[in-house]
Amino acid sequence: MNGCEADHEAPLGTVETRSLSTVKSLAAATERLITAVSNLKSEPPPFSSGIVRFQVPIDQQIGALDWLHAQNDVIPRCFFSPRSDTGRPELLQDLAMASESVNGSSDCNPVSVAGLGSAVYFRDHVPFSHDHWRSIRRFLSLNSPLIRAYGGLRFDPNGEVGVEWEQFGAFYFAVPQVEFVEFERSSMLAATVAWEDELSWTLQDAIESLEETMLQVSSVIVRLKRESLGVSVVSKNHVPSEGDYHPSVDTALEIIKAEDSPLSKVVLARSSRIITDTDIDPIAWLARLQCEGQDAYQFCLQPPGAPAFIGNTPERLFYRKHLGVWSEALAATRPRGDSEDSDLELERDLLTSPKDDLEFSIVRENIREKLSAICESVVVKPPKTVRKLARVQHLYSQLAGQLRREDDEFDILTTLHPTPAVCGCPVEEARLLIKQIETFDRGMYAGPVGFFGGGESEFSVGIRSALVENGLGALVYAGTGIVSGSDPSSEWNELELKISQFTKTLEHEPALQPIN
């Protein structure tokens, strides 16, 4: 059922979560859900539209990615894991606590969420609009915080769509039919039905579709060790090639340096097709990347009949909890050193580089201005520091503000995306130049990827990402910011560094270990 086709102004008859008693095993949780869904047939809610979530807590922690890896890979699937570096941003704590005292709720935060199928999905081939957002919000409620719509948007909704991205539309979101939620010490299995008589999708239709999906859900989970993947790279083909990339950077620099040009930065990206000796399992690849990404978001988004878009991105676009909103500036890159001394030397070089300070300042100030347009006040802390990841380090700053209205969430998304870190500044001039120079479709690369929820929403920036195609290897994406002082060879080397976490994780055979 495509929720975009319904009347977005008409409220649903019911939005509810039914929590069942805790069980000891995944198999017991599956049986309990099957019974609950069956009982819904005999005692249906008296509404012509609605969404009902059944959830069963499990007194055992099981990895959501392990659960997803055990499932049928033909069913549409999604996965989202927030960053685990600081839990929720320190700069936002006071705002979040103030919001909770007003709204009277405090949500538990999953470690990661995996989903199969779609109780309701939202997809269109025209740019994401306020009406589309309202269509999604109909199915969400503060009283059902774990009913969430996971998905993402294209980087450029008006750009020409490549065949590899056709099934994603201009945007794609879904509330999973079957969902596995991993918490710090426990787990949860959930099943959701959504119906809309107006769309000729009745409660009976929704229940039958869910039952069909649940019949394919496996309760036998095999823990996927993250050491290796067991795939060899046969070839890599870059678009643009290095020979074409250098002139593109030179062209961008000429425009940036022109006296009458408003452009101060543009991000030029590259698509690298990797051909391997065997098909790549996107979930196993994501598990391997997860080892390097404890301080990053991991995500997987795979609509029906589409390739899997996976990512290990360090960058949060925004996190909203009630009226509090938090974002960050992340720009400029250095590799990590092979010793403590060399790492500190690279850090000092990054902090003192005029070119990198310019690139970072453009990003930070642009985000500050955008947040100021929708918030009562904006705090920036610290003005500039270094954020260290497994293979690279970046200049970094946090920004937080208080929204004027909770319904301004659509404005958060459309105001912050795209950031100068993935597009340039000013945005429209940079986007126009990108369209002129780049000869491939970015799709959802560098677009917002995350979820909308009743009490909170969170979106990452879909960088450090790949599109995994059945039998065709994968397309790996990376970009680099071009400002005055940029050098084409150095920028090309930065692209190589950014995709290294993908290419270097396709090496040896993974070990599987049963979960008791």
Side-chain angles (χ1 to χ4, degrees):
M1 177 177 72
N2 188 348
C4 291
E5 297 174 355
D7 180 3
H8 60 266
E9 296 184 353
L12 288 184
T14 184
V15 178
E16 59 178 296
T17 294
R18 301 183 184 181
S19 296
L20 308 178
S21 57
T22 302
V23 297
K24 295 290 186 181
S25 69
L26 181 58
T30 303
E31 290 301 317
R32 187 153 293 180
L33 283 179
I34 291 173
T35 299
V37 173
S38 177
N39 290 341
L40 192 65
K41 283 183 181 179
S42 56
E43 299 180 17
F47 305 106
S48 61
S49 64
I51 184 167
V52 177
R53 172 188 171 96
F54 298 95
Q55 55 188 36
V56 181
I58 303 171
D59 192 17
Q60 178 186 176
Q61 186 188 34
I62 301 171
L65 205 57
D66 294 320
W67 178 84
L68 188 60
H69 188 258
Q71 307 308 320
N72 188 330
D73 61 6
V74 176
I75 305 173
R77 52 192 175 177
C78 64
F79 176 84
F80 188 77
S81 180
R83 277 204 325 236
S84 58
D85 50 347
T86 57
R88 291 307 177 204
E90 181 180 347
L91 189 56
L92 189 58
Q93 291 304 313
D94 292 341
L95 295 175
M97 290 174 64
S99 295
E100 283 175 16
S101 66
V102 171
N103 288 274
S105 68
S106 178
D107 305 334
C108 54
N109 293 303
V111 172
S112 55
V113 177
L116 289 177
S118 59
V120 55
Y121 70 90
F122 309 86
R123 178 173 56 191
D124 207 335
H125 293 282
V126 299
F128 190 66
S129 69
H130 192 267
D131 286 347
H132 291 132
W133 174 76
R134 292 181 67 187
S135 294
I136 295 174
R137 295 293 296 179
R138 289 180 70 225
F139 289 84
L140 309 178
S141 169
L142 187 64
N143 296 323
S144 294
L146 291 181
I147 296 180
R148 296 171 169 179
Y150 295 90
L153 283 67
R154 285 176 57 83
F155 168 77
D156 183 359
N158 297 306
E160 185 175 347
V161 179
V163 63
E164 68 273 19
W165 289 102
E166 285 181 350
Q167 299 303 315
F168 289 82
F171 62 89
Y172 176 83
F173 289 91
V175 177
Q177 282 181 308
V178 180
E179 190 175 303
F180 189 89
V181 186
E182 176 187 357
F183 297 102
E184 287 188 2
R185 297 180 182 83
S186 62
S187 309
M188 177 184 288
L189 189 66
T192 301
V193 291
W195 70 99
E196 179 79 71
D197 289 356
E198 176 193 337
L199 299 181
S200 300
W201 185 254
T202 66
L203 176 61
Q204 182 72 20
D205 294 326
I207 291 174
E208 290 176 359
S209 176
L210 174 59
E211 288 177 330
E212 184 178 340
T213 299
M214 292 198 68
L215 287 175
Q216 302 178 65
V217 172
S218 173
S219 295
V220 179
I221 309 301
V222 176
R223 181 176 289 116
L224 178 59
K225 286 191 174 180
R226 273 65 170 171
E227 284 84 357
S228 52
L229 195 60
V231 175
S232 297
V233 177
V234 175
S235 65
K236 284 189 291 184
N237 179 50
H238 305 301
V239 178
S241 65
E242 187 172 5
D244 291 332
Y245 181 77
H246 284 214
S248 296
V249 174
D250 290 335
T251 297
L253 287 172
E254 288 178 9
I255 295 173
I256 288 170
K257 293 176 181 178
E259 290 185 7
D260 59 345
S261 173
L263 193 67
S264 58
K265 174 183 178 179
V266 65
V267 177
L268 297 182
R270 187 184 74 183
S271 169
S272 301
R273 181 172 290 280
I274 294 177
I275 303 299
T276 56
D277 60 347
T278 185
D279 289 357
I280 300 172
D281 180 338
I283 305 304
W285 200 5
L286 191 57
R288 180 66 184 91
L289 292 166
Q290 198 173 50
C291 291
E292 298 199 1
Q294 298 303 314
D295 48 7
Y297 291 89
Q298 287 85 40
F299 63 81
C300 174
L301 184 60
Q302 189 169 24
F309 181 48
I310 66 171
N312 187 62
T313 172
E315 187 170 354
R316 179 182 281 125
L317 183 64
F318 76 86
Y319 165 62
R320 176 195 68 82
K321 186 160 189 176
H322 308 309
L323 291 177
V325 61
W326 183 85
S327 186
E328 62 188 18
L330 192 76
T333 305
R334 289 292 186 279
R336 296 299 303 272
D338 54 11
S339 69
E340 184 176 349
D341 288 343
S342 65
D343 197 57
L344 287 173
E345 182 61 33
L346 288 164
E347 177 184 336
R348 283 192 291 269
D349 181 56
L350 181 59
L351 283 168
T352 58
S353 163
K355 176 261 179 186
D356 292 303
D357 182 70
L358 172 62
E359 180 181 349
F360 173 73
S361 297
I362 289 171
V363 173
R364 183 193 59 214
E365 294 310 306
N366 183 272
I367 295 173
R368 187 212 299 262
E369 290 175 8
K370 288 179 174 179
L371 284 177
S372 296
I374 56 177
C375 293
E376 294 289 355
S377 60
V378 177
V379 179
V380 180
K381 181 183 178 182
K384 182 173 75 172
T385 189
V386 171
R387 182 150 184 259
K388 294 179 181 289
L389 307 177
R391 295 181 183 273
V392 295
Q393 46 191 323
H394 303 286
L395 294 177
Y396 173 76
S397 181
Q398 300 180 7
L399 300 94
Q402 190 85 8
L403 291 172
R404 296 183 179 93
R405 301 175 306 159
E406 195 165 323
D407 281 346
D408 287 342
E409 186 173 59
F410 173 77
D411 293 331
I412 305 173
L413 188 62
T414 55
T415 297
L416 291 179
H417 172 71
T419 70
V422 295
C423 182
C425 189
V427 166
E428 289 310 314
E429 285 82 353
R431 185 152 35 191
L432 179 60
L433 185 57
I434 289 169
K435 188 175 294 187
Q436 292 172 350
I437 289 179
E438 292 183 0
T439 58
F440 65 94
D441 178 21
R442 289 192 181 191
M444 287 189 175
Y445 162 71
V449 180
F451 70 86
F452 289 113
E456 60 183 335
S457 301
E458 187 162 16
F459 281 84
S460 63
V461 181
I463 57 174
R464 315 292 157 83
S465 53
L467 192 66
V468 186
E469 302 176 289
N470 290 331
L472 297 174
L475 292 166
V476 182
Y477 301 92
T480 182
I482 309 302
V483 297
S484 181
S486 292
D487 172 70
S489 295
S490 298
E491 302 301 335
W492 183 266
N493 292 337
E494 183 175 321
L495 293 175
E496 291 289 284
L497 179 64
K498 286 177 174 176
I499 73 163
S500 65
Q501 65 172 303
F502 279 87
T503 58
K504 291 183 179 180
T505 50
L506 299 172
E507 294 176 344
H508 306 290
E509 190 67 29
L512 299 178
Q513 193 175 61
I515 293 178
N516 296 322

